[in-house]
């Protein structure tokens, strides 16, 4: 289990410095979101500055970009990082795709399935394994002259991951993707009782094993030796959990745990413009199920206890929020990253020797 840091929109100069600091601190990698800034240039800059880290888009918005362009970007980044790149894709939501990007959205699940297969067919063509011949319901690609084929390299087996929450998308991910970017709003109950069984069903449908699909899991980690030290980061995490939870499609995340009606109450507070009321709706009991909270010296063990055997990569959602206020905390976060990685490595070694 690797331990990565989540990165939002950042200038090239700042991201280069950040990558060097993250690498030196002991993190495994950096996961770049796509909101107000695309991730591609930042990853190239960070990879040049920190040659040992693994990089991923977490996630890049798929539908506004041709599958050929996505495959080409992934190929170039994989080649120039020595294979230390994973392509994470997501569908986003209908309003953004149609009204911000001006692209088609429906039906998002089948469209994403076809998109992933198109990207994989393009990558196979780049590797020289077969001619480009993707004929799907939404994407058709059949022309790749030699002069347009990207230069061959040894790192073309690029992992293609997708974000997935509900049963259709998670089952499909198990069928065609290499990994799943789990939603930050999750509990272990959701992972074990909803996501993993759906992924297993999809994998079996395609003749694959569950171990073929990595789970990349963003986690709200709130370290601090006293409640006062944890207060600001806990408030940030609670607010974000409330925001995600206000989405009606995610109501089951609360309902399954016995907190029926929480999502509806959060949505009411959102419509009323009451962020404090939203955060207050997330009780301490809920918070402990959706976040990992505790003293600095215990956080790594708590992360391992919760995600060992589930996550291939844990992605710390709040590290940079904390480091922006407390630069001196970066080394402590690095200790957590290294401890999580080492504990997982020991566990793997013990299982292999048993």
């Amino acid at each position: 289990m690797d331990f990565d840091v989540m990165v939002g929109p950042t200038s090239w100069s700042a991201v280069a410095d950040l990558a060097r600091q993250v690498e030196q601190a002991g993190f495994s990698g950096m996961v770049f979101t796509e909101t107000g800034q695309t991730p591609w240039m930042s990853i190239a800059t960070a990879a040049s500055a920190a040659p040992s880290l693994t990089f991923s888009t977490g996630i890049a918005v798929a539908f506004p970009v041709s599958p050929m362009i996505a495959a080409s970007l992934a190929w170039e980044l994989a080649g120039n990082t020595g294979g230390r790149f994973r392509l994470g894709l997501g569908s986003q939501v209908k309003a953004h795709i149609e009204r911000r990007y001006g692209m088609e959205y429906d039906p998002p699940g089948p469209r994403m399935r076809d998109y992933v297969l198109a990207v994989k067919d393009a990558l196979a063509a780049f590797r020289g394994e077969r001619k480009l011949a993707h004929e799907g319901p939404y994407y058709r690609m059949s022309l790749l002259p030699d002069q347009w084929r990207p230069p061959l390299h040894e790192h073309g087996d690029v992992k293609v991951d997708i974000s997935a929450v509900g049963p259709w998308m998670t089952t499909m991910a198990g069928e065609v993707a290499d990994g799943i970017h789990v939603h930050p709003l999750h509990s272990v109950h959701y992972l074990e009782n909803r996501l993993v069984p759906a992924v297993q069903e999809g994998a079996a449908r395609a003749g694959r094993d569950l171990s073929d699909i990595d789970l990349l899991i963003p986690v709200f980690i709130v370290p601090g030796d006293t409640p006062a030290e944890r207060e600001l980061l806990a408030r940030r995490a609670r607010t974000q959990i409330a925001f995600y939870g206000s989405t009606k499609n995610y109501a089951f995340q609360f309902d399954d745990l016995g907190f029926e009606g929480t999502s509806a109450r959060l949505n009411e507070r959102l419509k009323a413009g009451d962020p404090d009321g939203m955060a207050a709706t997330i009780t301490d009991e809920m918070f402990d199920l959706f976040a990992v909270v505790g003293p600095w010296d215990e956080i790594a063990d708590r992360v391992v206890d919760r995600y060992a055997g589930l996550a291939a990569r844990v992605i710390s959602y709040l590290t940079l929020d904390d480091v922006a206020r407390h630069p001196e905390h970066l080394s402590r976060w690095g200790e957590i990253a290294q401890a999580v990685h080492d504990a997982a490595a020991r566990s793997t070694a013990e299982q292999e020797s048993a």
Side-chain angles (χ1 to χ4, degrees):
M1 183 163 60
D2 289 307
F3 193 98
D4 300 337
V5 62
M6 182 176 287
V7 186
T10 311
S11 69
W12 295 355
S13 59
V15 84
D17 290 339
L18 176 62
R20 284 187 284 266
Q21 293 167 14
V22 165
E23 181 182 47
Q24 186 174 10
F27 286 84
S28 304
M30 303 174 76
V31 177
F32 287 78
T33 63
E34 180 172 357
T35 50
Q37 178 177 306
T38 62
W40 315 108
M41 299 302 292
S42 292
I43 291 176
T45 302
S48 297
S52 72
L53 296 178
T54 295
F55 301 91
S56 175
T57 52
I59 50 75
V61 183
F63 299 156
V65 179
S66 159
M68 175 59 69
I69 298 298
S72 299
L73 287 164
W75 182 269
E76 187 171 345
L77 286 168
N80 283 282
T81 60
R84 294 176 295 103
F85 173 75
R86 302 182 68 118
L87 176 63
L89 299 167
S91 60
Q92 244 291 352
V93 298
K94 184 173 183 177
H96 280 272
I97 298 302
E98 292 184 347
R99 294 166 50 202
R100 181 157 68 99
Y101 291 106
M103 304 296 289
E104 293 184 1
Y105 181 77
D106 289 321
R111 187 181 295 274
M112 178 59 77
R113 183 183 188 279
D114 192 28
Y115 192 103
V116 170
L117 293 174
V119 169
K120 290 197 163 202
D121 281 343
L123 291 170
F126 296 168
R127 292 191 297 266
E129 294 176 359
R130 57 182 181 265
K131 291 183 178 181
L132 179 64
H134 180 82
E135 293 292 331
Y138 306 98
Y139 302 99
R140 296 171 179 81
M141 303 186 304
S142 59
L143 178 65
L144 187 63
D146 287 343
Q147 63 267 36
W148 291 95
R149 189 189 310 272
L152 191 64
H153 59 67
E154 298 178 353
H155 308 287
D157 189 16
V158 184
K159 300 292 186 184
V160 181
D161 312 316
I162 64 171
S163 61
V165 179
W168 197 98
M169 196 74 87
T170 48
T171 302
M172 181 271 286
E175 183 183 1
V176 304
D178 297 302
I180 297 176
H181 282 269
V182 176
H183 198 282
L185 179 67
H186 67 266
S187 65
V188 172
H189 183 279
Y190 161 74
L191 297 177
E192 293 180 341
N193 293 280
R194 282 185 179 264
L195 187 139
V196 169
V199 175
Q200 196 161 20
E201 178 185 340
R205 187 182 298 170
R208 308 171 72 199
D209 190 83
L210 181 63
S211 62
D212 295 333
I213 301 97
D214 295 331
L215 299 188
L216 297 82
I217 307 183
V219 181
F220 297 110
I221 300 174
V222 182
D225 292 331
T226 65
E229 187 180 358
R230 295 191 292 266
E231 182 180 1
L232 287 178
L233 212 59
R235 185 186 308 162
R236 169 75 174 88
R238 203 180 292 263
T239 299
Q240 193 64 45
I241 290 167
F243 174 74
Y244 285 140
S246 67
T247 301
K248 294 179 180 179
N249 287 343
Y250 300 157
F252 68 87
Q253 294 279 13
F254 298 100
D255 295 348
D256 285 357
L257 299 171
F259 306 122
E260 291 88 352
T262 299
S263 185
R265 290 193 293 273
L266 289 170
N267 193 262
E268 289 174 1
R269 292 298 87 213
L270 177 68
K271 291 178 178 178
D274 181 14
D276 291 338
M278 292 177 68
T281 302
I282 305 301
T283 66
D284 290 345
E285 185 181 2
M286 294 178 195
F287 190 56
D288 285 340
L289 292 170
F290 291 114
V292 178
V293 185
W296 283 101
D297 291 344
E298 297 179 16
I299 281 289
D301 288 340
R302 295 187 185 192
V303 170
V304 172
D305 288 346
R306 185 173 295 194
Y307 293 105
L310 289 170
R313 310 189 77 90
V314 166
I315 305 162
S316 182
Y317 195 102
L318 298 170
T319 292
L320 296 188
D321 290 61
D322 185 49
V323 171
R325 291 189 297 268
H326 301 287
E328 71 277 8
H329 284 180
L330 181 60
S331 62
R332 304 199 75 174
W333 281 102
E335 291 170 1
I336 293 170
Q338 194 62 55
V340 168
H341 182 272
D342 290 348
R346 285 195 301 270
S347 176
T348 300
E350 290 169 359
Q351 291 173 8
E352 290 176 349
S353 63

